[in-house]
Amino acid sequence: MSRYQALSSDVVKSLFNGPGVYQLAFSFEYGMTMFHTFIGGIIQFRTLPRQQFGNLQSRIFPVYFGVSTSITTALLASWVFNHPDVVPNFSRPGLADVAQAWTLVVVGSMQALNWLYLGPLTSSLMFKRHKLERAEGKSYTDPTVSDEMKALTKKFGALHGISSLTNLISILGMTFHGLWIAKYGTKGY
């Protein structure tokens, strides 16, 4: 038998609580990450000329990873606050609540690494390569490019691969955390 509840201002106000805000913050981050990684980024890559795509990504990534790092940090702080056994047991990642905290630490670290180090370095290399392409009058894929271009391309490819891997680690961690909170919730004790 279903239960009916009148929608009142008190009912609406009660929705704005710790677990609700936690769920919204997690959902915002997870949705942003999945959309940018698997939909928006691919559409941009297929639609824009390569250099325009790179320029756009160099503008999006600092915001994307900065927001992701900030939200993950807030989620971690909230998780630790609401699960007081996490801090004294932090060296025991086999405990469920501690494992979730460690997951958020790893996710936040990967996002911060992309935001503060890999992203800026990769963008810098990309812009150097763009400049060298204009100077040489040929694309980086041309087999007759200079050794300098080949070295830049190799370094860019390695950094881009590491950046993609750290983003994938973040996605896997957030998926694990999302499945956990869907099954067990966010409330502590």
Side-chain angles (χ1 to χ4, degrees), residues 87-173:
V87 173
N89 292 295
F90 205 64
S91 63
R92 299 175 63 198
L95 299 175
D97 288 344
V98 176
Q100 291 308 305
W102 270 106
T103 299
L104 293 171
V105 166
V106 169
V107 169
S109 297
M110 296 296 104
Q111 294 162 338
L113 181 63
N114 258 322
W115 178 34
L116 300 171
Y117 180 71
L118 294 172
L121 188 55
T122 304
S123 291
S124 173
L125 287 173
M126 176 193 68
F127 289 127
K128 286 178 185 175
R129 194 169 73 174
H130 288 177
K131 186 176 180 181
L132 195 55
E133 282 179 316
R134 286 190 298 276
E136 292 184 11
K138 45 182 113 168
S139 171
Y140 76 97
T141 58
D142 187 311
T144 63
V145 295
S146 66
D147 289 341
E148 182 183 2
M149 177 72 81
K150 289 176 185 175
L152 273 175
T153 298
K154 184 176 180 177
K155 194 170 184 181
F156 173 84
L159 283 171
H160 186 268
I162 293 167
S163 176
S164 296
L165 179 62
T166 60
N167 193 51
L168 179 60
I169 291 167
S170 293
I171 289 169
L172 293 173

Side-chain angles (χ1 to χ4, degrees), residues 66-92:
V67 169
S68 294
T69 302
S70 300
I71 291 174
T72 301
T73 301
L75 293 174
L76 175 61
S78 176
W79 189 267
V80 170
F81 178 79
N82 288 300
H83 299 85
D85 285 346
V86 167
V87 173
N89 292 295
F90 205 64
S91 63
R92 299 175 63 198

Side-chain angles (χ1 to χ4, degrees), residues 17-82:
N17 56 40
V21 171
Y22 191 97
Q23 291 283 350
L24 287 174
F26 173 83
S27 298
F28 179 87
E29 180 179 342
Y30 194 72
M32 176 182 64
T33 299
M34 297 302 281
F35 178 82
H36 183 72
T37 302
F38 297 113
I39 298 169
I42 292 170
I43 291 170
Q44 294 163 16
F45 179 75
R46 290 182 178 169
T47 305
L48 297 172
R50 182 180 47 81
Q51 288 190 0
Q52 287 180 1
F53 169 71
N55 289 337
L56 179 61
Q57 293 291 76
S58 75
R59 298 287 180 112
I60 290 173
F61 278 171
V63 175
Y64 166 60
F65 287 118
V67 169
S68 294
T69 302
S70 300
I71 291 174
T72 301
T73 301
L75 293 174
L76 175 61
S78 176
W79 189 267
V80 170
F81 178 79
N82 288 300

